[in-house]
Amino acid sequence: MKLNQLTLKESLDALEKKEVKLEEIYQDLDQAYEEQNHKLNIYLSKNEQALVQAKELSNKPLRGLPIAVKDNFCTRDLPTTASAKVLDGFRPQYESTVTKRIKENGGVVYGKTNMDAWAHGSSTETSDYGPTLNPRNPEHLPGGSSGGSAAAIAADLAIVSVGSETAGSIRQPAAWCGTVGFKPSYGRASRFGVAAMASSTDSPGPISKTVEDACILLNAFAGPDEKDGTSSREKAPDFTSFLDQSIKGMRVGVIYQDVAEIAQTNQKLLKELEILKELGAEVEITQAMDPHPAIGVYTVVQRAEVSSNLARYDGIRYGHDRSNFGDEGKRRIMLGTFSLTKGHADQYYSLAQKVRTLYLENYKELFKKYDVLVSPTSPSYAKKIGSSFNSAMFGELEDMLLEASSVAGLPGINVPFYRDDETNLYLGASFIAPMWEEGKIIKITDAFEKNTKWNSWRNR
Amino acid sequence: MPYKLVCGLEIHAELKTASKMFCSCKNDPFGAIKPNIYTCPVCLGMPGGLPVANKTAIEWTIKLGLALNCKINLFSKFDRKNYFYPDLPKGYQISQYDIPFCYDGYIETSEGRVGITRIHLEEDTAKLSHQDIDLDGDGKPDKATLIDFNRSSVPLVEVVTEPDIISANQAKEYGQKLRQIMRYLDVADCDMEKGGMRLEANISLRQEGKSELPNYKVECKNINSFKFLEAAINYEIERQTEILQNGEIPTQETRGYNANTGKTFSQRAKENAADYRYFPDPDLAPIEFSEAEVEIIRQSLPELPDQKAQRLMKEYGLNEASARNLVLNRKKAAFFEEVLQLSQKDNLDNQKLVNALLNKKIAFELSDKAAVVLKKFKAANTNDSVDDKELETAINQVLKNNQDAVEKYKAGKTAVIGFLIGQVMKELGKKADVNLVRQKISSQLD
Ligand SMILES: [Zn+2]
């Protein structure tokens, strides 16, 4: 086995026991990068100083291990474009809080990963630098917008990676690439230095090989940040403390079983959830508010925020004018501008906020009865390359099952629950919990992962 | 005049907090030795820059509101005002739309109460400077606009009045009082020359006796002194009266004021209100205050000019004009009060003391010690004892030495007696009672 295939936990242990050297891990990783990156188009830029930096960090918690970071996180030593030509060549003079903390904890930014331009999409196909291919099956999309970060994990081109989610952008590519994706509660991780997409829902989070790895990485960057006024003032818990816990008596509500278009995926999920019962959890099908209106709520709120957030790229300071925006960016700016215009704001933006409140109330009710809720992450398997074109609402439909929980700010974890032998493509389940209660979904997904055959690293 | 002024003011003032409104950069745009030294990703509007609200600026805004008799919104929020301009790096200004921190207050003026609609807090823009610079290296200057972000995101309050102002003079008085109060609160320097305080007047006229608002509004901007504000309003009254008398309606527009010509001039027509697509800024959590917190801010209010003037009148028996004069600024008021307090044990005439100081009969600086100033006053107002014999000798001597003056006096130019009194004092080498000396001289000459 190559060392780049190690999980984060395995790498840390091996380094601690001096079974491997950092150089050896980097050597294998660099080799894999050379072989695969040009085919899969995962990294937009690579840190040529990675090993040099790593050696100086070997006594820190993350021991100098290489981490893939989505290209919307500002990094001093690497270009930051958010996969958008408007920002081509931009090198920030400042560091995002997430990457700053990762570095302080001994992580090395190995490279910056491809994404949907400005995070607008769920395919990584709207990137101004071309699509990323799904390492599980290169005829298919990796999902998005954090498609590069998820693909980096699936292809073993990073030990662990960082993505950001607005509504599905971590969990959906994680599902399509057969990896773990962890979106913490909104406000748990600082947004400072992350090129904003929809400010009210953007959440940085890990994409990883195992739930355990996600917890280790999240420990390194979660927590209050005085530079982000919406970040939680509460100290983050030790997320690894929820691993290897009994799930006996946990109440699991299975939602969206009544959504017709995902019947097949639902059936498979229900079968796989049996294991939770064996482990002592109570699993029950329950009715949640119809997810379809959430598409509208999310679309209106997100487009409005996008139109305003992208106004700063006005052609004055970044060397590229607004004609460099791609079609998707232009569509979103126009829709958002329209929905905030006088006379329409009440009809769209205000109404969307009201429906958002209804979802919040619905979750409040559901969480009185259940500790966690679960549904498929995505309606089906990863779609083929090219399918996002001519589908202006591609992402919204693919993320339909996640939008309600995203607009509510809830934490969610995707874990693989099925693999199709023929295509080698995965299905993922999304477990969600009340705000700030990541511990519950860590417990349940960790137990699920360790007691099923679907995690490709635990079952290699 | 058949037409009456209907005027409301919108006054912006930069708060002098240590740091900017939404970042930790130094708030000192006027003190900066060069452009763009007080900047960061937040006030430059760089990707991923996030605003964090300056708590002091919010408290000061509420403090100002309380000083202006406003009600306070316990729940408030910041909104984005979206528009493109090179001085606005984010493409939107963080401001307050429908829930300002303060509303429904007033300032009393000598011509009546001026209602305050609202006070909200926002961020200032960067400063543009249009220059001719050789950009392409061909040796010829090109038109260029430079941007200085030192001012970007400096806290800015906007105080908006009701259309209650009925004269140019009242507008000036209102503005001066607002500035005076801000300085008393020590929340803003209000330096108008530098743009630390900016005045905008909405001016229209209606027929005398009518009470509904006129159906047009002329907005005068870029006025940088109260004198100009007064002149601009007076000019507009004239201009609009003429238009109305011709049976026309003045154009709804924005006008500037030219201090050289004393006239306003059209800047741009304002057909419809611009749509700024306001929405709550998702980067900033709503702001909530409890009644108790507002009460703590209220307790921190200093004595305000009007209250102070009333008290000085009551405690020291001063007349209103001098009391108002004394409270013009906090430093002056404090100095006078110190002098007055110290003088109480001497049982002096307070009004006379204040008059002597205000009329500069006694030379002093506000930095002088109260005791020193008081001593000067007492010295100037007590007479040395002079016996009759001594005085008579001195007068005789002076009259003898100043025959010219005596002649003049006898010819009817009696004002010359002042000169003779001075000479007598000089001769005496002491300070005698002026009235007594005058009386003695005239009895000798008449
Ligand atoms: Zn700043």
Side-chain angles (χ1 to χ4, degrees):
Chain A
M1 190 175 76
K2 293 286 192 180
L3 296 176
N4 54 307
Q5 295 171 310
L6 294 175
T7 67
L8 175 57
K9 181 69 165 94
E10 288 165 346
S11 321
L12 290 170
D13 289 348
L15 284 168
E16 190 181 359
K17 291 182 201 147
K18 299 199 164 37
E19 292 163 359
V20 298
K21 289 186 182 149
L22 257 182
E23 287 91 330
E24 294 168 337
I25 294 176
Y26 274 89
Q27 202 172 19
D28 284 359
L29 179 58
D30 283 342
Q31 196 190 342
Y33 174 94
E34 290 307 324
E35 285 166 14
Q36 295 183 59
N37 192 57
H38 63 280
K39 294 182 206 155
L40 299 173
N41 195 28
I42 288 172
Y43 285 102
L44 297 178
S45 57
K46 181 168 175 286
N47 180 2
E48 299 302 338
Q49 299 299 310
L51 183 57
V52 180
Q53 291 166 5
K55 283 180 176 168
E56 296 187 357
L57 298 168
S58 56
N59 55 351
K60 300 264 177 88
L62 294 172
R63 294 183 178 275
L65 286 168
I67 296 169
V69 175
K70 192 177 180 181
D71 202 38
N72 57 346
F73 287 80
C74 288
T75 44
R76 264 177 191 275
D77 39 11
L78 288 170
T80 299
T81 68
S83 287
K85 280 273 157 70
V86 174
L87 276 181
D88 194 53
F90 174 61
R91 271 174 186 266
Q93 296 300 301
Y94 52 98
E95 190 79 26
S96 76
T97 297
V98 167
T99 51
K100 183 166 170 271
R101 289 182 180 171
I102 285 175
K103 289 174 180 180
E104 284 165 0
N105 280 291
V108 169
V109 178
Y110 184 70
K112 302 293 286 295
T113 58
N114 198 15
M115 56 188 279
D116 285 291
W118 306 112
H120 295 169
S122 305
S123 63
T124 311
E125 224 171 6
T126 68
S127 165
D128 289 347
Y129 300 98
T132 293
L133 312 187
N134 190 327
R136 304 287 189 182
N137 180 338
E139 286 178 13
H140 291 256
L141 292 167
S145 64
S146 310
S149 285
I153 297 307
D156 286 313
L157 287 193
I159 300 296
V160 69
S161 75
V162 178
S164 68
E165 169 159 337
T166 300
S169 276
I170 286 175
R171 289 174 284 167
Q172 183 258 10
W176 282 15
C177 291
T179 73
V180 171
F182 189 166
K183 177 202 113 69
S185 306
Y186 175 74
R188 181 67 92 188
S190 169
R191 294 185 291 119
F192 181 81
V194 187
M197 206 260 267
S199 316
S200 63
T201 46
D202 285 348
S203 308
I207 297 177
S208 58
K209 297 173 182 176
T210 64
V211 173
E212 182 176 37
D213 283 5
C215 293
I216 297 171
L217 184 61
L218 188 56
N219 271 355
F221 66 75
D225 179 17
E226 58 180 25
K227 287 180 173 175
D228 178 355
T230 56
S231 73
S232 161
R233 291 187 197 153
E234 296 288 314
K235 201 171 164 281
D238 173 4
F239 295 103
T240 62
S241 71
F242 303 104
L243 298 165
D244 298 310
Q245 302 285 307
S246 162
I247 59 162
K248 212 164 176 238
M250 274 186 86
R251 298 162 302 165
V252 180
V254 187
I255 54 171
Y256 302 153
Q257 284 289 315
D258 52 345
V259 177
E261 54 264 56
I262 59 166
Q264 284 191 339
T265 309
N266 268 335
Q267 236 170 25
K268 291 194 180 75
L269 175 61
L270 215 49
K271 189 166 155 254
E272 293 303 322
L273 292 176
E274 286 297 314
I275 185 70
L276 297 179
K277 288 185 190 164
E278 287 170 34
L279 295 169
E282 296 163 23
V283 180
E284 192 177 280
I285 293 174
T286 188
Q287 183 101 22
M289 203 170 127
D290 180 2
H292 292 89
I295 302 175
V297 174
Y298 170 72
T299 304
V300 169
V301 173
Q302 189 261 14
R303 302 299 195 268
E305 293 180 7
V306 161
S307 71
S308 174
N309 284 338
L310 292 181
R312 67 188 61 199
Y313 308 108
D314 54 8
I316 294 176
R317 285 165 306 155
Y318 302 98
H320 311 285
D321 67 31
R322 291 174 77 77
S323 67
N324 287 275
F325 276 114
D327 288 347
E328 185 61 22
K330 286 178 189 162
R331 268 199 292 270
R332 293 189 183 210
I333 291 169
M334 284 190 283
L335 192 55
T337 303
F338 172 78
S339 73
L340 287 174
T341 303
K342 246 190 196 133
H344 299 294
D346 278 343
Q347 201 179 343
Y348 298 104
Y349 191 76
S350 309
L351 181 65
Q353 293 293 2
K354 280 179 200 152
V355 181
R356 184 184 200 168
T357 310
L358 292 181
Y359 277 107
L360 289 175
E361 282 163 10
N362 183 231
Y363 280 120
K364 215 167 137 190
E365 284 306 308
L366 287 167
F367 284 125
K368 280 182 189 161
K369 282 165 72 185
Y370 304 101
D371 295 305
V372 300
L373 300 172
V374 62
S375 74
T377 298
S378 182
S380 190
Y381 300 100
K383 296 224 158 133
K384 285 226 161 141
I385 302 284
S387 17
S388 77
F389 298 127
N390 303 318
S391 172
M393 295 295 283
F394 177 83
E396 284 62 33
L397 295 170
E398 289 307 319
D399 292 332
M400 176 179 80
L401 306 170
L402 306 177
E403 270 142 11
S405 63
S406 291
V407 296
L410 307 181
I413 297 178
N414 171 78
V415 282
F417 75 83
Y418 189 80
R419 187 182 71 96
D420 180 68
D421 287 337
E422 207 175 305
T423 59
N424 193 35
L425 290 172
Y426 283 76
L427 293 173
S430 178
F431 288 83
I432 59 173
M435 283 299 278
W436 316 120
E437 299 199 41
E438 288 89 348
K440 289 181 175 170
I441 44 174
I442 294 171
K443 271 191 208 172
I444 202 108
T445 53
D446 179 53
F448 181 87
E449 177 184 284
K450 284 172 177 161
N451 290 282
T452 55
K453 60 178 182 179
W454 305 114
N455 184 290
S456 64
W457 290 273
R458 290 203 181 275
N459 297 285
R460 63 191 160 216
Chain B
M1 190 182 76
Y3 292 102
K4 284 275 186 193
L5 174 69
V6 179
C7 171
L9 293 178
E10 290 171 21
I11 298 186
H12 283 92
E14 286 178 346
L15 297 181
K16 56 177 191 177
T17 49
S19 57
K20 290 185 179 182
M21 186 59 228
F22 294 112
C23 61
S24 53
C25 287
K26 191 172 180 187
N27 170 18
D28 189 17
F30 306 135
I33 50 163
K34 49 179 193 172
N36 298 311
I37 53 171
Y38 302 138
T39 59
C40 73
V42 180
C43 56
L44 288 173
M46 305 293 270
L50 292 175
V52 177
N54 183 330
K55 210 164 165 252
T56 307
I58 295 173
E59 285 173 3
W60 285 6
T61 305
I62 290 176
K63 200 168 173 179
L64 176 63
L66 293 171
L68 301 184
N69 311 294
C70 287
K71 298 185 179 114
I72 306 299
N73 274 315
L74 296 178
F75 175 93
S76 188
K77 63 187 172 75
F78 286 104
D79 302 278
R80 291 186 182 180
K81 180 180 179 180
N82 294 284
Y83 66 96
F84 285 105
Y85 208 68
D87 65 8
L88 195 64
K90 297 189 293 296
Y92 59 84
Q93 179 189 30
I94 305 176
S95 181
Q96 293 192 283
Y97 179 50
D98 50 349
I99 315 180
F101 285 120
C102 322
Y103 65 101
D104 200 9
Y106 61 87
I107 285 182
E108 297 286 3
T109 72
S110 55
E111 293 177 61
R113 180 176 283 194
V114 176
I116 288 166
T117 316
R118 57 182 278 161
I119 305 174
H120 71 253
L121 181 57
E122 58 190 23
E123 56 178 342
D124 210 343
T125 59
K127 199 169 166 55
L128 299 182
S129 138
H130 306 287
Q131 297 186 10
D132 292 321
I133 298 170
D134 179 14
L135 295 175
D136 47 17
D138 65 356
K140 286 180 223 143
D142 303 287
K143 292 252 173 266
T145 300
L146 305 181
I147 313 179
D148 177 7
F149 290 93
N150 285 340
R151 200 182 72 177
S152 175
S153 206
V154 161
L156 193 66
V157 286
E158 181 174 353
V159 184
V160 181
T161 76
E162 293 290 301
D164 287 348
I165 294 166
I166 53 170
S167 77
N169 188 58
Q170 191 189 19
K172 185 169 84 172
E173 187 184 338
Y174 165 84
Q176 284 170 334
K177 278 202 143 180
L178 177 63
R179 180 178 64 177
Q180 186 187 23
I181 289 168
M182 289 210 213
R183 287 177 175 171
Y184 257 71
L185 299 176
D186 205 22
V187 298
D189 286 331
C190 303
D191 186 329
M192 285 199 278
E193 295 237 317
K194 290 175 181 161
M197 188 178 207
R198 286 162 240 162
L199 315 176
E200 278 170 52
N202 290 310
I203 307 164
S204 43
L205 302 181
R206 69 179 158 213
Q207 265 180 342
E208 199 163 357
K210 292 263 169 79
S211 62
E212 68 268 30
L213 289 179
N215 56 357
Y216 73 96
K217 196 165 76 177
V218 173
E219 195 180 332
C220 272
K221 282 191 158 183
N222 305 329
I223 305 170
N224 65 359
S225 83
F226 293 127
K227 205 177 93 191
F228 295 159
L229 172 68
E230 192 181 17
I233 293 174
N234 279 330
Y235 177 79
E236 275 301 304
I237 293 174
E238 243 177 74
R239 189 183 72 86
Q240 292 180 24
T241 300
E242 202 179 311
I243 296 171
L244 289 164
Q245 275 170 345
N246 288 335
E248 290 163 40
I249 294 170
T251 315
Q252 177 116 340
E253 62 182 347
T254 301
R255 297 178 74 86
Y257 176 75
N258 183 332
N260 295 323
T261 61
K263 293 176 181 174
T264 64
F265 60 93
S266 178
Q267 281 183 318
R268 63 189 147 92
K270 210 172 185 179
E271 297 291 330
N272 297 305
D275 184 357
Y276 293 116
R277 304 189 306 280
Y278 282 100
F279 73 101
D281 192 328
D283 288 332
L284 292 156
I287 296 118
E288 288 179 79
F289 278 89
S290 66
E291 294 278 6
E293 285 167 316
V294 172
E295 204 42 46
I296 291 170
I297 299 174
R298 196 191 299 275
Q299 297 303 327
S300 76
L301 285 178
E303 189 180 29
L304 294 168
D306 278 359
Q307 297 168 314
K308 200 185 269 289
Q310 290 299 328
R311 188 174 56 77
L312 291 179
M313 286 161 68
K314 214 172 123 207
E315 279 181 23
Y316 299 101
L318 303 180
N319 64 33
E320 183 169 352
S322 44
R324 294 228 167 270
N325 190 329
L326 295 197
V327 301
L328 277 179
N329 72 63
R330 217 171 154 176
K331 211 173 150 192
K332 187 174 176 184
F335 172 80
F336 272 85
E337 191 155 16
E338 208 187 325
V339 174
L340 282 166
Q341 264 168 10
L342 201 64
S343 75
Q344 292 313 293
K345 61 176 193 297
D346 296 329
N347 218 353
L348 299 173
D349 181 338
N350 290 330
Q351 187 65 54
K352 196 173 166 190
L353 168 61
V354 166
N355 287 348
L357 293 177
L358 286 179
N359 299 331
K360 304 264 176 204
K361 283 202 179 135
I362 311 283
F364 71 96
E365 300 285 333
L366 288 182
S367 55
D368 286 349
K369 285 223 164 32
V372 174
V373 176
L374 196 60
K375 208 170 148 192
K376 277 194 197 169
F377 172 78
K378 284 197 284 191
N381 284 280
T382 44
N383 300 325
D384 298 320
S385 63
V386 179
D387 63 41
D388 282 358
K389 182 86 176 95
E390 200 182 354
L391 182 57
E392 214 163 296
T393 316
I395 289 174
N396 287 337
Q397 189 62 40
V398 167
L399 294 182
K400 203 173 117 193
N401 291 349
N402 294 283
Q403 281 302 319
D404 283 5
V406 173
E407 292 301 318
K408 276 186 190 160
Y409 182 88
K410 285 183 171 163
K413 291 183 179 167
T414 51
V416 79
I417 197 164
F419 166 74
L420 292 171
I421 294 169
Q423 291 300 308
V424 172
M425 300 280 192
K426 214 170 174 186
E427 183 68 29
L428 277 171
K430 290 182 188 174
K431 186 160 168 36
D433 182 337
V434 176
N435 288 331
L436 184 69
V437 179
R438 183 192 303 272
Q439 199 191 329
K440 292 251 177 201
I441 295 175
S442 32
S443 67
Q444 284 227 16
L445 294 176
D446 290 340

